[in-house]
Amino acid sequence: MDGALIFCKDSILRFRSDYDDLTAVPLLSIQECLEEENSLFLLQYFRHHVIIEEDTTLSDMFLAIEPWANVLAAYLDIDVMAYIDEIRKPSQAEAVFDWIGIQKVTSVHRAYQHHNIQEGEDLSSYFNRERIPTKRFDIEAACTANGYKKGDKEHYSISGDIHTVKNVPVVISDRQVLVSYGQDKNNLLNHKHTGVVVNNKTTYIQGEISFSLNEVMEALFNDGLFYFSPQTASHDMEMIKEMAEMIEKNEDENKETILNPRFDEGQKADADNKIKVEIAEGAFDPMIDHMESEQAYWQYVKSLCDSNSELPIRIGQIDEAKSPEYRFSNFIMDDN
């Protein structure tokens, strides 16, 4: 059916036809009355335009999708039901944002060569290598969900304690943003054109957009809340808190050195112009744990399929099909 999905503040997901602006019917009622018992019923609405009623909170949206939590969990690779169960628990936590904003952002920036880390090389040295620019660009598009505060131009992550964001209203921005990085002469966007906005080293343009259901879900769960479950989020937040306390302790111990730097003028200029990346001990532990878990699970799945499936497993490199134009342009650039 042609129409839009509406998340309402009474925690119900409704459908409104393009041919009837005054009636919004609960989507679950449509499924039940049409006797659509298929658990994949929601998939046919994934590309439908989404509207969020004013004052609808994150909790309202979670409760609205509960009938289809399983199919959304499979699509998002997130324990959706765990988040729904968690927001139902009573909490004294206060809301930390005035609203959660969903937006689509496309960023364009120069691509750099990334060499593999050398044997015995620590992460700090690896990240502080001189970057080598290429002739290409990295172009990334994402649907994002961030927390906002009135009077504050910054945006903040909503991942962490779900109870601090569950009662925050959610809004969808009708603008998509194309962002380019770099100062005037090095920026891809012409600062003289009407509508080009310059903010420090960031330049961007805006245009109108609407969001589909799958994009809204990806923005909230994959980009915003990020973690597989609220329990995983709590565990990682505790680890981050411990690391922050360690860093603060080290800073206090080195306070005298920081307050009394022994730089000559030349060294001071170099220090001002060159940013050094420092890696705190344990900073990558959550990522390493995730990678090790993924590797172990893949070995289990591979072994299971090798033993119990008649379908052949391919061993070795598989050549990817590419257009002749891409191969030719790639050859020309590399040749130059």
Side-chain angles (χ1 to χ4, degrees):
M1 290 188 293
D2 299 332
L5 295 173
I6 306 175
F7 283 94
C8 300
K9 59 185 177 183
D10 60 358
S11 305
I12 295 177
L13 179 61
R14 290 180 168 86
F15 177 84
R16 186 176 68 191
S17 171
D18 286 344
Y19 311 102
D20 180 4
D21 291 340
L22 300 179
T23 308
V25 180
L27 189 64
L28 186 59
S29 296
I30 295 176
Q31 180 174 354
E32 291 173 347
C33 293
L34 294 179
E35 299 181 351
E36 295 280 359
E37 297 297 335
N38 190 342
S39 61
L40 303 181
F41 170 80
L42 188 67
L43 288 180
Q44 62 188 295
Y45 294 92
F46 261 33
R47 296 183 182 275
H48 280 61
H49 171 54
V50 166
I51 298 169
I52 300 178
E53 184 181 16
E54 188 175 6
D55 296 328
T56 301
T57 66
L58 189 63
S59 289
D60 293 328
M61 296 184 68
F62 281 8
L63 295 174
I65 62 173
E66 183 176 7
W68 307 280
N70 290 337
V71 66
L72 287 170
Y75 173 73
L76 298 166
D77 192 22
I78 294 286
D79 192 344
V80 174
M81 202 63 220
Y83 278 100
I84 295 173
D85 290 339
E86 189 66 25
I87 61 107
R88 280 200 169 99
K89 297 178 182 178
S91 171
Q92 300 299 320
E94 295 184 1
V96 293
F97 304 119
D98 291 304
W99 77 92
I100 293 171
I102 296 175
Q103 189 173 51
K104 186 167 186 178
V105 178
T106 300
S107 61
V108 181
H109 49 88
R110 176 68 63 183
Y112 291 85
Q113 288 185 14
H114 296 283
H115 297 289
N116 294 330
I117 190 169
Q118 302 297 318
E119 185 177 352
E121 183 179 21
D122 60 78
L123 287 173
S124 294
S125 300
Y126 174 72
F127 284 114
N128 282 292
R129 284 185 188 178
E130 184 177 355
R131 300 191 302 170
I132 302 173
T134 70
K135 295 180 180 179
R136 299 188 183 185
F137 295 88
D138 286 330
I139 304 172
E140 301 174 353
C143 298
T144 65
N146 296 292
Y148 295 87
K149 302 175 183 179
K150 292 178 181 177
D152 188 344
K153 294 183 179 180
E154 293 296 327
H155 58 270
Y156 302 89
S157 169
I158 64 171
S159 65
D161 184 358
I162 187 66
H163 294 286
T164 63
V165 296
K166 68 180 184 180
N167 294 321
V168 177
V170 182
V171 298
I172 292 177
S173 173
D174 61 354
R175 294 174 295 176
Q176 63 174 319
V177 178
L178 172 63
V179 181
S180 177
Y181 301 96
Q183 294 179 333
D184 195 354
K185 65 179 182 180
N186 295 321
N187 202 292
L188 291 175
L189 299 176
N190 189 333
H191 292 186
K192 297 180 181 179
H193 283 311
T194 303
V196 176
V197 181
V198 181
N199 183 9
N200 198 6
K201 293 184 178 181
T202 301
T203 306
Y204 63 91
I205 56 176
Q206 302 179 77
E208 292 186 359
I209 191 175
S210 61
F211 278 80
S212 59
L213 177 63
N214 63 305
E215 290 175 325
V216 170
M217 293 294 99
E218 289 173 18
L220 288 174
F221 283 101
N222 297 127
D223 178 81
L225 297 174
F226 180 74
Y227 292 99
F228 177 76
S229 69
Q231 292 74 28
T232 306
S234 297
H235 175 265
D236 280 9
M237 288 299 105
E238 284 299 318
M239 292 184 63
I240 292 173
K241 183 179 178 181
E242 291 177 7
M243 285 187 285
E245 290 174 351
M246 291 173 55
I247 293 171
E248 185 176 354
K249 182 180 179 181
N250 291 335
E251 287 179 347
D252 290 340
E253 292 175 352
N254 297 325
K255 190 173 183 180
E256 183 177 350
T257 304
I258 296 172
L259 293 176
N260 299 282
R262 297 181 179 178
F263 291 140
D264 60 30
E265 290 303 318
Q267 289 175 317
K268 186 176 185 302
D270 290 341
D272 290 340
N273 294 327
K274 189 173 182 180
I275 299 175
K276 183 178 180 181
V277 178
E278 295 185 3
I279 309 298
E281 184 178 353
F284 286 92
D285 284 357
M287 182 182 71
I288 294 171
D289 291 343
H290 172 75
M291 293 171 64
E292 291 177 346
S293 174
E294 283 290 303
Q295 290 176 4
Y297 186 62
W298 168 242
Q299 292 300 327
Y300 164 74
V301 171
K302 186 170 67 171
S303 174
L304 204 62
C305 292
D306 188 32
S307 303
N308 301 322
S309 176
E310 295 181 357
L311 296 174
I313 294 177
R314 289 280 299 272
I315 303 296
Q317 193 70 31
I318 296 177
D319 294 329
E320 181 182 358
K322 295 181 179 180
S323 67
E325 292 83 359
Y326 176 82
R327 292 180 183 275
F328 181 72
S329 61
N330 189 37
F331 170 76
I332 293 296
M333 283 190 289
D334 290 345
D335 189 51
N336 287 341

